[in-house]
Amino acid sequence: MSRIAFALLVAVAAAAPAFAAESSSGARSMLVFERGTLLSGPTLSRIETGVFTTSKRIDPAMLSEVLEKAGDALADVAGKPRCTITTYSLRYSTVGGSGEPTDASTALMLPSGKDPACQGPRPVLLYAHGTSPLKDHNMASLRGEAKLVAALFTAQGYIVVAPNYAGYEGSSLSYHPYLNAEQQAADMIDALRAARTAMVKLKAQSGPQLFLTGYSQGGYVALATQRAMQHGSEFKVTAAAGLSGPYAMARFADMVFGGAPSAGITLYLPLIATSAQRAGAAIYSKPDELYESQYANGIESLLPSRLKPRELVKQGKLPKRALFARDAQPHLVRTSYREAYLQDVAANPCDGSECMPANNLRKWMLKNDLRNYVPQSPLLLCGGSKDPSVPFFNATAAAEYFSQHGAPPTVVDLEEQDAPDDFRLSRLAFGLIRDEVAQRAKEEAAKSGRSVQELLMENYHTRMAGAPCLLAARSYFNSLLRQDALVAH
């Protein structure tokens, strides 16, 4: 189906829940929107191997060189590549935050090579990426997070399906349904459906094992997808790993509005608010009820953006850091909105599913809190207990809930260097990356006058914890694959 034809279908389907046309004979035909349909692709993606160089595929020797250029710690974490990586882009049908038909795109990363790990039916990893403020975010380009995922998983023999999400590269949706658990899970499932169709075309063999993981926003999306897949029989999840995700949304939101905003919250909140509003949560009657007037105009269409966050701040579209009024700094949220929120916190204390807030934003956060299902497949939760962006209590609170309901997950705190478990290498990697970041922080502090600790915390979530948690997920999944192999023999 062409992009124009699909756009017409979306327009018609959005105009009416069921569009019907009557023929001359009186019979009625129905235009049906089918989720997970492969709309275009698979299209071979060129992989960035340097500042000015790209390649159709990246072999183990080339990947080792790319990783070494990115830093010794990253190369150490990834391990020796075994497979050549080829990446494809494809576009598929899915839904938006209010169930409206739309489209999105995904990367499909395939391993190949002479190593036995690269041949035959391969396990599938469905990967959910972390928060991106940039609308052109594209996992198929293998930049940043995508490069790490490819190095840790595809280069070791996993087929990776990594959606960009509705609202990002390859999608016609004008916004992103951020942390909308039902939509994000549907998006992931639709990407996997389309990827299966694409794999048949490419003659790629997938095995029976299906793993779910993701970092930050993606950690949350991975668990939401696990929950959704349990409701049907179409997919059987082998295991899932949530990495530094905001699973305890109700507690997280109350903490933020209570006076402990997390790092990056001036980006996260507009994404959450627009997502809620588009889903019909009615968290405000108009934007300047929530936002200060200088930021309200245009904020609903601001993120994800074509501009980097520092440009948005420079243009006065977002404050640099301040969420609430303090020390006369420009701030994002109106004091009256915060006060109304806190009044509801006092009247209706809430931490989990058994509460009834009256405030619509709190209702939305509670609806999307993931402490409301019981995992039916093995689950790993990884993070760092000093994370200033997504506090570690999200993992411990979720683990407590799951344990109380008979499904205790494996929990990894990267800060517990002497913990007696199977994740020593992940913690070692965390230490190596932390040392590398600390050295750079010292050099920057000497130039900028900022404290080393401030610079370290600024890099904790984005640069220090991600790779070690992904390594923990790979170790966890590999151990289950080994168990399957032993049973088979």
Side-chain angles (χ1 to χ4, degrees):
M1 182 185 296
S2 73
R3 193 177 185 89
I4 294 174
F6 181 74
L8 289 172
L9 181 145
V10 168
V12 170
F19 173 80
E22 189 167 332
S23 69
S24 58
S25 63
R28 295 177 68 82
S29 61
M30 189 71 69
L31 179 61
V32 179
F33 172 80
E34 186 173 354
R35 284 177 38 198
T37 299
L38 179 63
L39 301 175
S40 65
T43 304
L44 184 65
S45 297
R46 295 195 68 87
I47 301 168
E48 293 186 7
T49 56
V51 178
F52 301 108
T53 58
T54 63
S55 176
K56 290 183 179 179
R57 56 189 56 83
I58 183 166
D59 61 31
M62 189 185 299
L63 181 58
S64 293
E65 184 178 341
V66 170
L67 291 173
E68 286 169 5
K69 287 179 181 177
D72 293 338
L74 180 58
D76 289 341
V77 167
K80 184 179 179 180
R82 303 170 72 179
C83 308
T84 293
I85 300 169
T86 308
T87 304
Y88 296 88
S89 292
L90 48 111
R91 195 168 54 85
Y92 56 93
S93 57
T94 187
V95 291
S98 62
E100 72 273 34
T102 190
D103 55 349
S105 67
T106 184
L108 174 60
M109 308 175 193
L110 299 179
S112 62
K114 296 181 180 179
D115 192 296
C118 316
Q119 300 177 346
R122 307 309 312 148
V124 174
L125 176 74
L126 183 57
Y127 183 79
H129 70 73
T131 303
S132 175
L134 299 176
K135 195 168 183 64
D136 64 354
H137 186 89
N138 185 3
M139 294 293 286
S141 67
L142 295 199
R143 293 192 299 261
E145 179 181 10
K147 181 196 299 180
L148 182 60
V149 172
L152 281 168
F153 290 96
T154 315
Q156 301 298 326
Y158 285 78
I159 293 171
V160 174
V161 179
N164 294 320
Y165 304 151
Y168 285 95
E169 179 73 19
S171 174
S172 58
L173 195 65
S174 63
Y175 69 99
H176 170 52
Y178 186 67
L179 299 179
N180 177 332
E182 291 181 5
Q183 187 283 334
Q184 295 236 253
D187 195 341
M188 295 287 285
I189 289 169
D190 292 341
L192 182 57
R193 288 169 174 154
R196 283 179 164 182
T197 302
M199 281 188 271
V200 172
K201 291 187 173 187
L202 294 167
K203 296 182 172 55
Q205 294 179 282
S206 61
Q209 304 92 351
L210 172 61
F211 298 101
L212 312 176
T213 193
Y215 186 72
S216 192
Q217 174 191 2
Y220 173 92
V221 174
L223 266 64
T225 305
Q226 180 186 40
R227 184 183 69 175
M229 286 182 170
Q230 290 178 181
H231 292 163
S233 58
E234 184 178 0
F235 301 100
K236 179 176 173 55
V237 178
T238 306
L243 315 178
S244 299
Y247 324 109
M249 291 281 281
R251 184 190 295 187
F252 195 5
D254 285 358
M255 180 203 79
V256 169
F257 274 80
S262 62
I265 192 64
T266 53
L267 287 173
Y268 303 153
L269 182 62
L271 282 165
I272 290 171
T274 298
S275 173
Q277 204 62 6
R278 290 285 193 149
I283 64 169
Y284 52 73
S285 57
K286 53 184 180 178
D288 63 6
E289 182 183 328
L290 168 59
Y291 303 107
E292 286 290 340
S293 58
Q294 69 192 92
Y295 302 115
N297 186 34
I299 198 166
E300 291 180 307
S301 58
L302 186 65
L303 295 168
S305 175
R306 299 291 179 188
L307 301 176
K308 293 182 178 180
R310 63 175 176 267
E311 288 299 318
L312 296 176
V313 172
K314 188 176 179 180
Q315 293 182 14
K317 296 182 183 297
L318 286 174
K320 188 172 184 179
R321 290 190 179 89
L323 188 66
F324 305 123
R326 186 183 64 182
D327 301 329
Q329 295 181 31
H331 58 279
L332 187 62
V333 174
R334 279 192 179 275
T335 299
S336 57
Y337 192 94
R338 183 189 181 198
E339 288 175 345
Y341 186 103
L342 293 176
Q343 286 172 7
D344 192 64
V345 171
N348 303 292
C350 186
D351 184 25
S353 58
E354 296 180 3
C355 59
M356 296 182 65
N359 178 277
N360 282 353
L361 178 55
R362 296 187 74 221
K363 288 179 181 179
W364 176 254
M365 292 299 189
L366 181 60
K367 178 183 179 180
N368 289 285
D369 194 304
L370 293 178
R371 292 172 294 169
N372 56 12
Y373 81 106
V374 180
Q376 295 173 8
S377 50
L379 174 64
L380 170 76
L381 296 174
C382 177
S385 54
K386 294 181 181 179
D387 192 330
S389 297
V390 182
F392 193 62
F393 70 68
N394 282 279
T396 55
E400 181 181 7
Y401 177 87
F402 296 149
S403 297
Q404 289 172 351
H405 290 78
T410 299
V411 180
V412 177
D413 178 3
L414 296 172
E415 296 285 354
E416 292 183 350
Q417 288 292 315
D418 298 322
D421 57 25
D422 298 326
F423 301 96
R424 183 183 63 83
L425 288 179
S426 294
R427 294 187 175 90
L428 177 62
F430 177 70
L432 289 172
I433 294 173
R434 181 177 55 194
D435 291 345
E436 198 172 85
V437 172
Q439 181 57 43
R440 293 177 184 173
K442 289 177 183 176
E443 295 169 0
E444 186 177 338
K447 298 175 184 177
S448 66
R450 298 174 64 190
S451 73
V452 172
Q453 184 62 19
E454 180 186 2
L455 292 167
L456 271 176
M457 288 297 99
E458 198 173 84
N459 285 281
Y460 193 106
H461 186 76
T462 55
R463 295 182 61 185
M464 287 167 54
C469 274
L470 278 167
L471 183 61
R474 188 179 74 180
S475 175
Y476 187 64
F477 296 159
N478 283 349
S479 68
L480 294 172
L481 288 173
R482 287 193 292 271
Q483 289 176 25
D484 284 351
L486 288 174
V487 170
H489 289 86

